[in-house]
Amino acid sequence: MNTSIGPLAGKRILVTRPKEQAEPLISHIQENGGIPLSFPIVSIKGVKNDNSQSLLKNLSSYQWIVFTSKNGVDYFFQLLSDCNLTLSNVKFATVGEKTAESLRNRGIASILVPEHYHAESLVKTLKKHVLSHERILFPKGNLAPSFIKEELKETAQVEELVVYKTESEDDLDWSLVYQADCLFFMSPSAVTFMSSGIKTEEVYEKPVICVGPTTKSAAEECGFQHVLMPTQFTAEDMVNCAISYFQGGS
């Protein structure tokens, strides 16, 4: 791949996404002349325990299943497969199109997606569609906030189901962080893990591109000074956001 031409020519982009999920982002960076620095500070593993199996025994009692991430979809359906369970007569809602696409890839066509791709908009949309007697299952990661459950507690009964856990990776080359011209964050946990390992203030002066408002807020709260966010939350749009920054400086 020629990294001497293209709008990101020679720019070193730190990719904090887990290795198994980083390929689309790395490809887009390379296609635009950038140099991806793989720094998978986040590792994600499925969760299967007595609590999850107990909840899934009553799967038919839920009218809605709500997802706020592709990981939630992937590990929930992995759990269903492991437990030899299937779904029927349930409605779906997701926080955005990428997560909805994961459901469509599993043959699910009818999915409620809010106008804006963030949790506040999802809650607002659900309040218009969920009936008071209906129950909602919310598969999530161990670090995901309980915002949806709290905001909907007056509307319907929401049960959270932790289907995956997010942990920080220990065996990383931290010199890459200091070599990078720009940092890409795909989750608040990546921001938090990064901040805990930074030894000098210079890193906080580097531009960072965040995939959504929650991650953006986490980066700002951790002290990053140049925090950007694309209007759409895809790998291509993150790279375009970086291109816009390096071409325009803002």
Side-chain angles (χ1 to χ4, degrees):
M1 189 69 65
N2 189 342
T3 57
S4 64
I5 58 174
L8 288 178
K11 297 297 183 186
R12 294 157 296 187
I13 311 293
L14 194 80
V15 178
T16 60
R17 202 163 206 188
K19 284 183 179 178
E20 62 273 16
Q21 299 177 353
E23 195 281 329
L25 204 49
I26 287 174
S27 293
H28 282 299
I29 291 170
Q30 291 174 327
E31 288 166 4
N32 287 282
I35 304 170
L37 304 178
S38 180
F39 192 76
I41 196 169
V42 172
S43 72
I44 297 174
K45 298 174 183 174
V47 170
K48 182 180 180 182
N49 53 34
D50 291 343
N51 181 57
S52 60
Q53 295 189 63
S54 176
L55 269 177
L56 290 176
K57 283 181 181 177
N58 297 313
L59 193 59
S60 61
S61 69
Y62 296 94
Q63 287 74 46
W64 287 86
I65 300 179
V66 175
F67 296 99
T68 57
S69 72
K70 180 179 180 299
N71 286 323
V73 174
D74 292 342
Y75 286 104
F76 174 71
F77 278 89
Q78 181 61 56
L79 202 54
L80 289 188
S81 177
D82 293 344
C83 296
N84 294 315
L85 294 171
T86 56
L87 294 171
S88 61
N89 299 322
V90 64
K91 293 169 278 191
F92 293 91
T94 72
V95 76
E97 276 298 328
K98 279 293 180 183
T99 309
E101 184 180 336
S102 298
L103 287 175
R104 294 190 189 100
N105 290 338
R106 290 173 168 82
I108 297 167
S110 180
I111 305 163
L112 184 65
V113 181
E115 179 181 0
H116 303 291
Y117 299 164
H118 51 68
E120 290 84 355
S121 186
L122 177 58
V123 165
K124 186 177 179 181
T125 302
L126 283 168
K127 285 182 176 179
K128 296 177 182 176
H129 291 82
V130 174
L131 304 177
S132 60
H133 67 277
E134 292 186 318
R135 303 183 73 212
I136 299 173
L137 184 63
F138 174 29
K140 52 177 267 188
N142 62 319
L143 299 182
S146 293
F147 176 81
I148 288 178
K149 182 176 182 178
E150 288 299 315
E151 291 296 315
L152 290 175
K153 63 184 178 184
E154 304 296 332
T155 304
Q157 181 179 344
V158 181
E159 290 287 348
E160 296 178 336
L161 173 62
V162 174
V163 294
Y164 69 92
K165 61 180 179 181
T166 303
E167 299 176 329
S168 62
E169 282 287 354
D170 297 325
D171 187 20
L172 294 170
D173 179 5
W174 279 84
S175 70
L176 296 176
V177 178
Y178 300 92
Q179 296 172 29
D181 298 300
C182 178
L183 284 61
F184 277 12
F185 289 122
M186 310 299 284
S187 68
S189 54
V191 176
T192 303
F193 296 155
M194 175 70 74
S195 184
S196 66
I198 293 174
K199 303 299 183 186
T200 65
E201 289 296 314
E202 67 177 277
V203 178
Y204 291 102
E205 298 175 359
K206 296 176 184 286
V208 301
I209 313 294
C210 297
V211 77
T214 305
T215 304
K216 181 174 183 286
S217 294
E220 291 171 336
E221 290 171 6
C222 281
F224 286 98
Q225 299 169 24
H226 305 288
V227 183
L228 306 169
M229 181 182 74
T231 53
Q232 299 295 322
F233 308 144
T234 67
E236 184 175 6
D237 285 303
M238 288 193 74
V239 171
N240 287 338
C241 189
I243 292 171
S244 178
Y245 173 82
F246 285 115
Q247 290 185 333
S250 63

